Amino acid sequence: IGNDTQDKFLNVEEASSNRDAMAKMIFNKIFAWVFELCNVILVDPKSANKETCTIGVLDIFGFEVFKKNSLEQMCIDLTNEQLQGFFNQSIFVAEQEE
């Protein structure tokens, strides 16, 4: 607090674990902030029930519905979408070549 500092000596494993935990927390905070901002921008202010507004992400296995999505789930969905797009493109190119 203020100009006070504290030193805590950690071994490599502990330091790596703390670094990873901090990075995950920061990414989760940014993720939540981005989607809160999206909700503010996308929700009609005249809507009677703002709780009924949702954004669904379609992945190769169908819709995933969670009460609250995490950064990890969004990354999984994004990766699945990219893999599906690559697969579709490869199949269409192979079909056109035949």
Side-chain angles (χ1 to χ4, degrees), residues 3-10 18:
N3 292 328
D4 295 339
T5 62
Q6 290 185 352
D7 293 326
K8 184 173 182 180
F9 298 97
L10 305 172
N18 284 338

Side-chain angles (χ1 to χ4, degrees), residues 15-33 69-73 75-76:
S16 294
S17 178
N18 284 338
R19 177 205 58 213
D20 294 346
M22 184 182 293
K24 184 177 179 180
M25 186 255 330
I26 291 169
F27 280 117
N28 278 326
K29 295 280 186 187
I30 292 170
F31 178 82
W33 175 76
N69 280 310
S70 65
L71 175 65
E72 290 86 358
Q73 185 60 46
C75 291
I76 289 167

Side-chain angles (χ1 to χ4, degrees), residues 45-96:
K46 298 174 200 138
S47 175
N49 186 359
K50 291 178 178 39
E51 295 297 317
T52 60
C53 299
T54 60
I55 297 174
V57 178
L58 178 64
D59 66 19
I60 60 175
F61 302 109
F63 282 105
E64 304 240 7
V65 179
F66 298 106
K67 184 116 177 136
K68 184 174 182 179
N69 280 310
S70 65
L71 175 65
E72 290 86 358
Q73 185 60 46
M74 187 65 176
C75 291
I76 289 167
D77 289 343
L78 177 61
T79 302
N80 285 342
E81 287 298 316
Q82 290 175 335
L83 288 171
Q84 183 66 37
F86 176 76
F87 175 77
N88 288 345
Q89 183 66 24
S90 299
I91 293 297
F92 293 136
V93 168
E95 287 292 322
Q96 289 176 347

